[in-house]
Amino acid sequence: MTKNLTFARLTLALLALMVVPATVRGADFEITPFVGYTMGGELRDPASGAILDIDEQRDYAIALDINQTSDSQIELYYSRQQTRLKGGGGLFAGNPLFDLDIEYFHLGGTYGTGDGPVKPFVVGTIGATHFDPKEERLDSETKLSLSLGGGLKFRVTDRTGLRVEGRWFGTFFNGVREVFCADGSCRINVDGNVSSQVVVNAGLVIAF
């Protein structure tokens, strides 16, 4: 059931990414489905001083890159990680608090030079991070986020290739805030401005 849900959501994301303005529909573009691994992500409860970790887990992502010049592209990016929030230190270290889905919805661009079969690139995007706790009655949270990264594209044929990359994602909480609330009470107080995650992805590039 979970795998079917993941596939359905990625399919819907792909369809959404393909709805681009008419002015760029005639441009060449690339679609890259990714499988990767997401690490990091830390919240802190100022009441107890406990550090809460986002568990390292596999992620699935998809990128639509619209060619603007031979070196630059506009990129729309979506990823989803099914993970859990757990105690990161002290007596309850490692104990899961609840399951948590994290989604990134981003817009930005890539820049890379080179005419050979291997092309290095850098990428930067901005958008939203959606936290969806899988505990009954807890509210989801959506926060501003950005990403910076880079990687390599390996051309296999004129229409296909491989892409490997690493990205840093920073999600902004703007100081101490209560999150994951239900019925007037909140499960966690967040102390800090930015929660960081690092993502390593590999995917198949399909050019149109």
Side-chain angles (χ1 to χ4, degrees), residues 132-151:
D132 185 14
K134 298 304 179 181
E135 184 169 304
E136 189 176 359
R137 297 186 303 275
L138 288 185
D139 294 337
S140 61
E141 302 283 344
T142 301
K143 304 295 182 183
L144 176 70
S145 58
L146 60 84
S147 81
L148 297 171

Side-chain angles (χ1 to χ4, degrees), residues 94-165:
N95 288 350
L97 301 182
F98 50 81
D99 290 339
L100 180 67
D101 288 354
I102 301 175
E103 295 173 292
Y104 291 104
F105 300 87
H106 274 219
L107 171 65
T110 70
Y111 180 82
T113 59
D115 298 323
V118 180
K119 186 174 184 177
F121 67 91
V122 294
V123 60
T125 61
I126 189 169
T129 306
H130 182 68
F131 297 93
D132 185 14
K134 298 304 179 181
E135 184 169 304
E136 189 176 359
R137 297 186 303 275
L138 288 185
D139 294 337
S140 61
E141 302 283 344
T142 301
K143 304 295 182 183
L144 176 70
S145 58
L146 60 84
S147 81
L148 297 171
L152 297 171
K153 292 182 181 180
F154 302 88
R155 189 174 69 229
V156 177
T157 70
D158 288 342
R159 295 290 182 179
T160 62
L162 300 175
R163 174 172 166 175
V164 294
E165 64 176 36

Side-chain angles (χ1 to χ4, degrees), residues 43 131 143 171-177 179 190 192-195:
L43 306 177
F131 297 93
K143 304 295 182 183
T171 300
F172 297 90
F173 286 89
N174 299 322
V176 177
R177 291 198 52 134
V179 294
V190 178
N193 291 320
V194 182
S195 176

Side-chain angles (χ1 to χ4, degrees), residues 34-57:
F34 292 105
V35 175
Y37 197 73
T38 301
M39 299 161 283
E42 215 176 70
L43 306 177
R44 182 185 293 272
D45 183 350
S48 65
I51 295 174
L52 307 174
D53 291 335
I54 296 171
D55 199 16
E56 298 178 359
Q57 292 287 341

Side-chain angles (χ1 to χ4, degrees), residues 49-81:
I51 295 174
L52 307 174
D53 291 335
I54 296 171
D55 199 16
E56 298 178 359
Q57 292 287 341
R58 182 171 51 196
D59 68 84
Y60 298 93
I62 192 163
L64 173 65
D65 293 279
I66 304 164
N67 295 336
Q68 300 301 294
T69 69
S70 60
D71 298 330
S72 63
Q73 299 172 307
I74 294 174
E75 178 167 285
L76 292 91
Y77 178 91
Y78 167 81
S79 73
R80 182 167 182 254
Q81 178 196 19

Side-chain angles (χ1 to χ4, degrees), residues 12-31 63-68 73-77 106-108 208:
L12 290 173
L14 172 59
L15 294 174
L17 292 179
M18 293 182 68
V19 181
V20 297
T23 55
V24 299
R25 284 180 184 163
D28 292 337
F29 61 92
E30 299 171 349
I31 294 176
L64 173 65
D65 293 279
I66 304 164
N67 295 336
Q68 300 301 294
Q73 299 172 307
I74 294 174
E75 178 167 285
L76 292 91
Y77 178 91
H106 274 219
L107 171 65
F208 294 88

